[in-house]
Amino acid sequence: MSICAADPSVSGGQRIFTIAVMGNPNCGKTTLFNALTGLRHKVGNYPGVTVEKREGAVSGEPSLRLLDLPGTYSLSARSPDEQIARDVLLGCLEDTPRPDGVLIVIDATNLERNLYLASQVLELGLPAVIACNMMDLLREAGHELDIRELSQRLQAPVIPTIGHRGVGIDKLKAALRDLCTAQRSVNRPRQWSLHEELEKEVRHVAAAMTASGFASPEGANGAALLFLSERELPANDHLPSLVSHSLSEAQERLRVHPELDVSLEVTAGRYAWLGELVDACLKRSERNLHGATDKLDRIFTHKVWGLVCFAAMMGLLFYSIFVLARPLMGLIETGVEGLQQFTARHLAAGPLRDLLTDGVIAGVGNVIVFFPQICILFLFIALLEDTGYMARAAFLMERIMSRVGLPGKSFIPLLSSHACAIPGIMATRVIENPKDRLATILVAPLMSCSARLPVYTVLIAACLPGNPWTKATVLLSMYGLGLITALTMATVFKKTILRGPTPAFIMELPPYRVPRLSAVLFVMWDRSKVFLTRAGTIILAITILLWAATHYPQNAQRAAHYEAQREAVLASGAADAESRLEAIAREEAADQLQHSYAGRLGRLIEPVIRPLGYDWRIGIGLVASFAAREAFVSTMGVVYGVGEADEATPSLHKRLREAQWPDGRPLFTPLVAVGLMVFYVLACQCVSTIAVVRRETNSWRWPAFQLAYMTGLAYMGALLVYQVGSALGIGS
Amino acid sequence: MTTIPLDSLNAGEQGHITGLAGAPDVRRRLMEMGLTPGTLLRVVRFAPLGDPIDIEVRGYHLSLRKHDARQIMLLRQ
């Protein structure tokens, strides 16, 4: 089995060379990748994981294809990112052939730690080029780096670069071209030694790797050391049996040497060698490399000012996605409505017109209406990440969030979810630990988003007695309920289904950098686009489905009945013909909805929602809310025959207050209204959320679970409110 | 001289690492980040709520929870 022998991919008669790009987080790898590819690349996912896969051709060099690997500190496989990076380099990842070479990006201002990863990669024997980035910062501080010496000692070409200014890019391209022309593995023997026993086992395993074709003779020692330094055999069925046998035997033999501390051997040995290497290449000046960062951190992580600045920044973020996005969203909504009216006017009445206006155009509207919020949030996040403040935010919030078992980085996604869970869930990408990320995704939709506000407003205005203060208190309680439930559920999930050892919090606080507008905008666009292409399609499909559910089946008899009424009005020539026609249209819409699939579903679930104090009409509202929660308001407008309505329509308030059960009891009592609000706080009635969770977790399992647990919570919550309230005789 | 755990250092104090204990994965990760025995380490500050800690090691800043920092033994300088 030769998994590693990559077939040369050929395109248009020209051999395509794949070069993997590796580097530590914050080393400027992405900036270099963008500079080399000229911002043209594809974003995808590695199979089965949510690690992003970015590929692009070097601009002006169509035969050179770059594959941007996740930023990592080492090649040991403890996180999905690291595992992907290692497996790609070793050529044992499905769908991704072993690269023809590597571009290793190192941060010149942090050589030892960056070279730790670089030297691990170099020992794998692949043809390699090293980009020594951030040379400007090094020179400004008066340090001198002997590039030639560094290159000689590492046995690979080193190109000094300044990524954001494009300095060194041409030389880098030339070096990558040379690398592909030479095209052969390079033997770079490890220049530091291990414990005798470990050294022996490395040779054994390396022999098995070479014999089975798993690694090249030049890279086998490096690969063998990587696997041997893991405590357990990798759960990786891509290893040839010869290799896995030899590995487990070697580890068995190593276990009888308790004095042999493998972790210490492989890390301390490498760092000792790197310490000497850097001393020989770098002439340090007295000046501090990170003087500005130290000064800024005195404010941003200060006991008082740090928290004040953080609160101000989060306030600004919240304000922007909540308030600034509004006019843009309004604009989009107006545009969508205009388009609907346009098609309604220019197409003949019929199923096709309805499908286009109320299904397709409304569906597209449902997708792009989120776009302003998503763009603004990602703009903020990109800014926070690019400046280095994101790590400080996590540093400040770590303690508070750890109380509920979440990492500090969950704060921003959860805060943003108050505007909308869609961008909030997408923002969880900043959380490295998969279980922490999943827990955050699962509870994010419990935060009261802006789509719930119209529902709260209409119910409070129409159904609750009392002065404005009482009403405001109820509204705030709904936000509080969402927040408290989310934090409680996070704790529950982290203690049950997402239980695991608390991941160590080992986070670099990178130096502050001036953000570059182009890079920030690029990241914003890159991530927002993913929403449109991946989640958008699902949202569109489900919106069309829900539209069909509220408009079908249609009944010719009913249509004829209303048509006859209309003709009678027109024939009578009455002065109030127009208003009577409108009344007929409202009645017909209500009639149609009641007899539609959604209407039938509303009746079908009536026995289930009866204990909550709801009738089938509210049932229809609940069903229709899945398109978007605010659809509850417009659906109630149709059900109660007030036509087009929003939360401020007085006629809708009146009709809700007057609504009755068949026996004459009022339907929307204050108790039912509060119970309904609690239901809306807790329920996951949002197809867009489901679509985004599907996209972000790469499976239907988690969105299904989320829908189930949130619906369960909502039902229990509303049941509790109604039954306890009724028993105590409150608010009936 | 006796060694003390990292979390008992005050802000601004420094010391050389003498050894690391604790969960193997965490210990390994810390060493990969450059916290190997013999390395000089400085406590820069504590977060406003007392945890985590901001330390400087090998010319860069790293933040750790006190819980994990307790496993790192130092010789105060």
Side-chain angles (χ1 to χ4, degrees):
Chain A
M1 192 167 67
S2 78
I3 337 131
C4 294
D7 288 321
S9 25
V10 175
S11 141
Q14 199 174 22
R15 165 93 152 80
I16 301 282
F17 296 95
T18 304
I19 298 159
V21 189
M22 299 275 317
N24 280 187
N26 310 307
C27 70
K29 182 167 71 73
T30 307
T31 315
L32 273 186
F33 178 85
N34 289 343
L36 284 167
T37 57
L39 297 184
R40 277 185 305 273
H41 66 258
K42 294 195 306 224
V43 184
N45 263 11
Y46 288 98
V49 283
T50 45
V51 178
E52 239 169 46
K53 179 179 187 178
R54 306 203 313 146
E55 290 174 276
V58 176
S59 54
E61 299 284 343
S63 63
L64 297 184
R65 204 174 54 113
L66 296 187
L67 173 62
D68 192 12
L69 293 180
T72 61
Y73 293 107
S74 92
L75 279 187
S76 44
R78 261 181 305 278
S79 75
D81 280 9
E82 291 169 334
Q83 187 141 11
I84 289 287
R86 190 192 69 185
D87 288 353
V88 167
L89 286 185
L90 293 172
C92 46
L93 196 70
E94 259 174 83
D95 303 345
T96 311
R98 186 182 161 114
D100 302 291
V102 225
L103 166 60
I104 306 169
V105 184
I106 59 174
D107 174 356
T109 69
N110 191 347
L111 280 171
E112 284 175 43
R113 204 203 57 215
N114 276 262
L115 286 174
Y116 186 89
L117 172 76
S119 60
Q120 280 186 320
V121 177
L122 289 170
E123 283 165 19
L124 294 178
L126 283 166
V129 173
I130 296 170
C132 190
N133 202 20
M134 316 240 180
M135 286 301 283
D136 49 338
L137 298 176
L138 193 76
R139 287 189 195 125
E140 276 162 25
H143 299 245
E144 272 173 56
L145 181 62
D146 187 340
I147 296 286
R148 187 171 299 167
E149 180 72 23
L150 186 64
S151 168
Q152 234 159 41
R153 286 179 179 249
L154 293 174
Q155 302 168 63
V158 177
I159 314 289
T161 58
I162 305 169
H164 61 277
R165 285 200 219 135
V167 175
I169 298 298
D170 287 336
K171 281 192 183 149
L172 204 52
K173 281 185 191 173
L176 291 174
R177 219 169 24 228
D178 292 347
L179 175 118
C180 294
T181 336
Q183 249 317 288
R184 52 162 198 267
S185 299
V186 189
N187 190 18
R188 305 185 192 91
R190 177 159 35 82
Q191 296 170 57
W192 48 284
S193 54
L194 297 160
H195 186 281
E196 196 185 332
E197 292 300 322
L198 191 53
E199 201 78 71
K200 211 158 54 188
E201 299 306 342
V202 167
R203 279 197 300 272
H204 276 299
V205 176
M209 285 180 164
T210 319
S212 62
F214 179 77
S216 65
E218 294 83 3
N221 271 302
L225 180 59
L226 277 186
F227 283 104
L228 272 175
S229 16
E230 303 291 336
R231 271 188 316 132
E232 283 153 24
L233 263 184
N236 181 338
D237 42 6
H238 299 292
L239 283 183
S241 57
L242 185 61
V243 174
S244 51
H245 268 136
S246 137
L247 261 174
S248 49
E249 279 171 18
Q251 272 167 340
E252 204 55 49
R253 284 193 295 269
L254 284 175
R255 260 190 273 278
V256 296
H257 294 276
E259 82 287 357
L260 180 56
D261 182 343
V262 176
S263 283
L264 183 70
E265 277 289 313
V266 298
T267 53
R270 193 181 292 278
Y271 266 116
W273 165 63
L274 288 173
E276 279 170 32
L277 186 151
V278 171
D279 283 343
C281 302
L282 185 67
K283 217 187 281 167
R284 294 179 173 94
S285 82
E286 285 302 299
R287 295 229 304 280
N288 184 350
L289 260 169
H290 306 301
T293 293
D294 291 346
K295 278 189 199 125
L296 283 171
D297 261 344
R298 254 169 250 157
I299 303 166
F300 285 138
T301 56
H302 186 268
K303 280 188 167 40
V304 179
W305 301 120
L307 292 174
V308 170
C309 291
F310 179 74
M313 253 181 268
M314 291 304 111
L316 185 66
L317 164 66
F318 196 61
Y319 180 83
S320 313
I321 41 180
F322 211 73
V323 181
L324 290 185
R326 271 289 157 79
L328 287 170
M329 295 170 78
L331 216 64
I332 291 175
E333 278 166 0
T334 317
V336 169
E337 275 165 31
L339 196 62
Q340 281 174 323
Q341 281 161 8
F342 179 82
T343 31
R345 235 178 295 130
H346 288 83
L347 284 179
L352 178 68
R353 189 183 79 177
D354 291 349
L355 171 70
L356 275 180
T357 55
D358 300 332
V360 178
I361 299 177
V364 172
N366 262 350
V367 176
I368 58 172
V369 78
F370 293 118
F371 209 56
Q373 288 187 332
I374 288 177
C375 286
I376 291 178
L377 178 66
F378 281 138
L379 177 71
F380 249 93
I381 289 180
L383 263 174
L384 294 182
E385 281 184 331
D386 210 45
T387 53
Y389 186 79
M390 186 61 101
R392 274 73 185 184
F395 181 68
L396 294 174
M397 285 298 109
E398 177 64 26
R399 180 71 192 274
I400 295 182
M401 298 307 288
S402 68
R403 291 268 167 93
V404 293
L406 290 177
K409 285 192 177 172
S410 295
F411 188 85
I412 289 177
L414 291 182
L415 178 80
S416 330
S417 296
H418 279 102
C420 177
I422 312 300
I425 287 166
M426 294 183 70
T428 59
R429 289 184 172 229
V430 297
I431 304 167
E432 295 90 2
N433 182 277
K435 283 182 178 169
D436 287 344
R437 179 160 179 254
L438 195 53
T440 311
I441 289 177
L442 287 179
V443 302
L446 285 167
M447 301 297 184
S448 280
C449 62
S450 51
R452 282 159 168 122
L453 197 57
V455 181
Y456 299 160
T457 321
V458 77
L459 288 172
I460 288 175
C463 313
L464 289 193
N467 59 36
W469 287 109
T470 328
K471 296 189 177 192
T473 313
V474 173
L475 184 63
L476 269 180
S477 317
M478 292 305 143
Y479 279 88
L481 176 67
L483 181 69
I484 291 168
T485 314
L487 297 182
T488 313
M489 289 314 290
T491 319
V492 170
F493 290 143
K494 286 300 304 258
K495 286 195 172 150
T496 53
I497 48 168
L498 298 176
R499 192 173 44 201
T502 312
F505 175 76
I506 302 173
M507 181 186 66
E508 184 185 359
L509 294 165
Y512 289 104
R513 303 202 202 282
V514 180
R516 282 138 303 138
L517 189 67
S518 61
V520 167
L521 289 178
F522 177 74
V523 171
M524 177 193 92
W525 173 242
D526 212 35
R527 297 189 191 167
S528 307
K529 206 172 55 185
V530 169
F531 166 75
L532 283 189
T533 51
R534 303 295 175 82
T537 41
I538 306 180
I539 298 175
L540 177 62
I542 301 182
T543 309
I544 294 177
L545 222 87
L546 273 168
W547 164 80
T550 49
H551 286 74
Y552 286 90
Q554 287 180 339
N555 183 314
Q557 223 176 346
R558 214 165 46 234
H561 166 72
Y562 286 105
E563 197 51 42
Q565 281 193 1
R566 263 191 285 269
E567 273 164 22
V569 170
L570 286 174
S572 73
D576 60 346
E578 201 162 313
S579 67
R580 279 171 63 188
L581 281 178
E582 274 172 23
I584 294 172
R586 287 202 296 269
E587 204 182 319
E588 182 177 12
D591 201 3
Q592 169 61 37
L593 182 58
Q594 286 170 26
H595 289 92
S596 68
Y597 291 116
R600 290 179 197 180
L601 195 58
R603 285 179 195 279
L604 195 71
I605 63 172
E606 199 187 52
V608 183
I609 57 176
R610 201 74 181 251
L612 311 182
Y614 308 160
D615 71 347
W616 59 273
R617 286 172 295 191
I618 299 182
I620 297 179
L622 295 183
V623 172
S625 288
F626 271 94
R629 290 179 179 95
E630 65 269 30
F632 176 79
V633 178
S634 55
T635 310
M636 288 296 108
V638 175
V639 171
Y640 288 107
V642 286
E644 296 266 315
D646 64 29
E647 63 273 20
T649 309
S651 55
L652 178 62
H653 293 184
K654 187 161 167 285
R655 291 301 295 269
L656 288 183
R657 273 194 296 271
E658 287 168 1
Q660 287 176 344
W661 286 97
D663 59 11
R665 279 180 298 129
L667 175 61
F668 281 97
T669 61
L671 189 62
V672 166
V674 171
L676 198 52
M677 275 189 270
V678 168
F679 190 92
Y680 270 87
V681 170
L682 301 174
C684 183
Q685 291 158 296
C686 179
V687 288
S688 313
T689 301
I690 295 169
V692 165
V693 174
R694 149 82 187 101
R695 150 81 191 149
E696 293 297 313
T697 60
N698 241 337
S699 89
W700 281 110
R701 208 174 95 213
W702 291 111
F705 170 74
Q706 187 172 38
L707 181 63
Y709 102 79
M710 285 182 67
T711 310
L713 271 186
Y715 189 84
M716 297 309 289
L719 185 72
L720 202 72
V721 169
Y722 185 71
Q723 294 300 338
V724 172
S726 302
L728 297 176
I730 306 169
S732 50
Chain B
M1 264 193 48
T2 53
T3 58
I4 52 168
L6 170 57
D7 67 317
S8 60
L9 242 58
N10 293 314
E13 288 187 322
Q14 54 184 18
H16 287 277
I17 300 175
T18 55
L20 299 93
D25 276 355
V26 179
R27 177 173 178 268
R28 170 68 176 278
R29 169 54 44 112
L30 287 170
M31 292 198 285
E32 282 176 340
M33 297 298 282
L35 281 80
T36 51
T39 311
L40 182 68
L41 182 156
R42 185 170 69 95
V43 173
V44 183
R45 63 173 61 84
F46 291 83
L49 301 167
D51 199 18
I53 315 177
D54 170 2
I55 61 167
E56 194 179 349
V57 63
R58 293 187 192 265
Y60 79 97
H61 288 255
L62 191 69
S63 73
L64 302 174
R65 279 198 207 105
K66 275 185 178 171
H67 171 79
D68 298 315
R70 205 161 294 151
Q71 308 291 342
I72 303 170
M73 298 305 288
L74 299 165
L75 201 57
R76 189 178 355 216
Q77 211 189 37

